[in-house]
């Protein structure tokens, strides 16, 4: 209980508000318009070797690279009139020919996490290309697919302060037509004009997991699929309490074996300040960018205590130079930490199809305007802070 009491009085006001709003291996090589390939955030085993593939292909431009391209202020890609996009599973992916390459097995996404634009909205067509491992997405209207027309119909998207527009991510594996084979896979994306000339291209590879391990992903299952990423607020304000902000949700899987969808229930974070107050020692090799550690309430007393509960993950942060005052916290409801719960508590259908458990966190912004990035990773061996970590799930917060 002493650790929980380390939260500030200002923060306590925030957690009451939350009560009312309740109801990856990164690419080693990437180029061109593709920045990375990661596991899809709706499948625990999306990049597990010899399992059905579920991946997200992140796009970028020459001007805006990497995760910065996910900023909803930045428009994504469209397709020119009469043009097309090809998505090729170049190597490392074995095709199941009984599953067609159509709108059931690929989805265009306007941002992260996972606001999709289905073909019934844009009237684009999806079919198999010149080889059995290639999707072809074609336009049907005279204007092609303009980025400003590509807006997600997700119920909560209409409430986003800034609507995400244009293609930024390609999700392969709604129905999983491929199996991951070997050590890594390679994918390629090409955009063509009316005459079939390639006007933009890129490729990237992704390393497959050799064995199951805990995983963590961004998710927008809570709050009607609103975009929880790239939220904006003022210095010292709190993501999850400030006007037009929401708590940051994360999807937790205990392991990614076969069709396993077991979630990690009873998890939350303890900030660096809380850990210092508890005299909890972290390995010296961690450096200074640790924002928090993720714990699971293993003694089931409904609170987090680093002396008795199991450490299962780590959160690192990138902050503007000289920033101070930022803190990542587990919200409190009725003076008790609101720890992770089964996904079905937020959405019964998602609980059945996606599984896992959802943990929410709130973030007190620092005193300096700029970009704050929080990278959440799970230890491959729960309780062992020296074990390898999972690919990070990264939230970006903008302080203005």
């Amino acid at each position: 209980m002493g650790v929980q009491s380390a939260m500030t009085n200002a923060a306590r006001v925030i957690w009451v508000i939350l009560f009312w709003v309740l109801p990856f291996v990164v690419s080693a090589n990437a180029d061109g318009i593709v920045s990375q390939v990661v596991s899809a955030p709706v499948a625990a085993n999306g990049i597990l070797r010899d399992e059905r593939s579920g991946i997200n292909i992140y796009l970028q431009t020459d001007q805006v690279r990497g995760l910065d391209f996910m900023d909803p202020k930045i428009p994504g890609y469209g397709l020119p009139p009469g043009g097309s996009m090809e998505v090729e599973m170049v190597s490392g992916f074995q095709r199941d020919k009984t599953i067609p390459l159509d709108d059931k097995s690929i989805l265009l996404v306007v941002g992260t996490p996972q606001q999709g634009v289905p073909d019934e909205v844009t009237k684009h067509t999806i079919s198999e290309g010149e080889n059995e491992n290639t999707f072809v997405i074609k336009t049907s209207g005279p204007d092609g697919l303009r980025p400003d027309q590509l807006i997600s119909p997700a119920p909560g998207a209409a409430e986003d302060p800034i609507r995400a527009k244009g293609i930024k991510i390609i999700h392969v594996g709604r129905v999983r037509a491929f199996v991951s084979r070997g050590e890594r896979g390679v994918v390629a994306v090409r955009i063509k004009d009316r005459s079939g000339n390639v006007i933009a291209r890129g490729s990237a590879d992704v390393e497959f997991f050799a064995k199951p391990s805990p995983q963590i992903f961004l998710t927008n299952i809570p709050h009607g699929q609103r975009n929880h990423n790239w939220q904006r607020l003022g210095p010292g304000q709190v993501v999850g309490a400030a006007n037009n902000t929401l708590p940051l949700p994360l999807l937790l899987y205990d392991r990614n074996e076969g069709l396993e969808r077991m979630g990690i229930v009873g998890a939350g974070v303890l900030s660096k300040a809380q850990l210092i107050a508890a005299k909890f020692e972290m390995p010296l090799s961690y450096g200074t960018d640790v924002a928090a550690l993720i714990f699971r309430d293993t003694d089931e007393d409904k609170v987090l205590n680093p002396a008795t509960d199991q450490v299962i993950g780590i959160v690192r942060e990138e902050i503007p130079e000289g920033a101070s005052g930022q803190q990542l916290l587990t919200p409190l409801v009725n003076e008790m930490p609101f720890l992770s719960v089964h996904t079905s508590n937020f959405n019964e259908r998602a609980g059945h199809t996606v599984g896992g458990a959802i943990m929410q966190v709130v973030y007190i912004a620092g005193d300096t305007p700029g970009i704050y990035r929080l990278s959440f990773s799970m230890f491959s061996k729960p309780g062992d802070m020296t074990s390898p970590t999972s690919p990070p799930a990264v939230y970006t917060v903008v302080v203005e």
Side-chain angles (χ1 to χ4, degrees):
M1 290 296 289
V3 173
Q4 301 300 331
S5 65
M7 295 183 178
T8 64
N9 290 333
R12 287 183 178 273
V13 177
I14 297 152
W15 318 142
V16 179
I17 297 173
L18 174 61
F19 179 81
W20 297 105
V21 299
L22 289 174
F24 122 107
V25 173
V26 176
S27 306
N29 299 293
D31 63 60
I33 66 171
V34 178
S35 68
Q36 63 177 339
V37 178
V38 299
S39 178
V42 292
N45 56 356
I47 54 174
L48 183 62
R49 189 178 303 167
D50 297 325
E51 296 290 344
R52 297 271 174 170
S53 308
I55 62 171
N56 272 13
I57 305 168
Y58 278 57
L59 303 182
Q60 63 183 0
T61 65
D62 288 340
Q63 295 75 32
V64 187
R65 312 287 291 177
L67 292 178
D68 288 344
F69 188 57
M70 297 301 119
D71 186 342
K73 282 187 173 181
I74 306 294
Y77 282 92
L79 296 180
S84 64
M85 172 184 285
E86 294 178 351
V87 179
E88 183 176 4
M89 314 291 278
V90 177
S91 63
F93 300 96
Q94 179 183 337
R95 170 76 188 280
D96 179 349
K97 296 180 183 179
T98 66
I99 298 177
L101 301 190
D102 58 15
D103 64 298
K104 302 293 192 302
S105 52
I106 193 170
L107 180 68
L108 302 179
V109 181
V110 298
T112 178
Q114 214 71 357
Q115 284 188 340
V117 185
D119 65 308
E120 59 263 28
V121 173
T122 61
K123 308 303 181 186
H124 62 272
T125 62
I126 302 171
S127 61
E128 185 177 306
E130 293 183 357
N131 66 61
E132 64 185 23
N133 281 22
T134 299
F135 296 88
V136 177
I137 302 159
K138 291 185 176 180
T139 64
S140 56
D143 298 328
L145 292 180
R146 299 200 317 264
D148 62 351
Q149 295 175 320
L150 294 170
I151 304 175
S152 176
E159 304 300 322
D160 289 344
I162 302 173
R163 294 295 296 272
K165 299 177 181 180
I167 307 166
K168 295 192 174 183
I169 295 173
I170 303 162
H171 169 45
V172 178
R174 299 177 76 188
V175 175
R176 300 204 263 178
F178 297 90
V179 177
S180 303
R181 299 294 192 195
E183 294 185 357
R184 65 181 58 246
V186 178
V187 300
V189 178
R190 297 176 290 271
I191 298 177
K192 295 183 175 181
D193 64 15
R194 182 191 302 275
S195 301
N197 300 311
V198 176
I199 57 177
R201 69 169 75 230
S203 64
D205 62 11
V206 58
E207 183 180 347
F208 298 138
F209 291 113
K211 58 183 180 180
S213 60
Q215 300 297 312
I216 186 168
F217 301 109
L218 307 189
T219 184
N220 64 355
I221 290 173
H223 313 114
Q225 299 175 2
R226 268 194 60 177
N227 184 7
H228 301 77
N229 207 359
W230 286 88
Q231 296 189 71
R232 289 167 160 82
L233 73 171
Q237 293 186 320
V238 183
V239 177
N243 185 44
N244 251 337
T245 69
L246 297 170
L248 304 176
L250 296 120
L251 184 62
L252 306 177
Y253 289 108
D254 183 58
R255 56 186 180 273
N256 54 347
E257 183 175 14
L259 296 178
E260 180 60 58
R261 297 192 177 102
M262 184 178 294
I264 302 174
V265 173
V269 300
L270 290 175
S271 71
K272 182 191 296 186
Q274 292 172 311
L275 294 169
I276 291 172
K279 296 183 169 59
F280 182 81
E281 294 186 7
M282 289 184 284
L284 294 176
S285 60
Y286 275 13
T288 60
D289 65 344
V290 176
L293 292 178
I294 306 172
F295 286 84
R296 176 166 47 189
D297 175 28
T298 47
D299 61 8
E300 299 184 348
D301 63 355
K302 309 301 182 183
V303 298
L304 296 178
N305 186 332
T308 57
D309 291 323
Q310 186 180 52
V311 59
I312 60 173
I314 186 170
V315 189
R316 297 186 181 276
E317 63 182 353
E318 297 177 34
I319 62 176
E321 184 176 357
S324 64
Q326 63 277 356
Q327 190 175 16
L328 185 72
L329 297 166
T330 297
L332 297 180
V333 175
N334 295 329
E335 296 298 311
M336 295 294 289
F338 186 77
L339 304 178
S340 61
V341 296
H342 290 294
T343 298
S344 57
N345 288 36
F346 292 91
N347 184 299
E348 186 173 350
R349 181 170 177 266
H352 175 72
T353 59
V354 176
I358 292 178
M359 174 181 77
Q360 292 190 108
V361 297
V362 293
Y363 188 58
I364 302 175
D367 60 0
T368 303
I371 297 293
Y372 292 71
R373 283 215 165 101
L374 297 164
S375 298
F376 298 77
S377 297
M378 307 299 287
F379 295 120
S380 59
K381 296 179 181 179
D384 183 357
M385 291 193 295
T386 65
S387 65
T389 55
S390 68
V394 183
Y395 270 116
T396 300
V397 173
V398 182
V399 176
E400 300 176 317

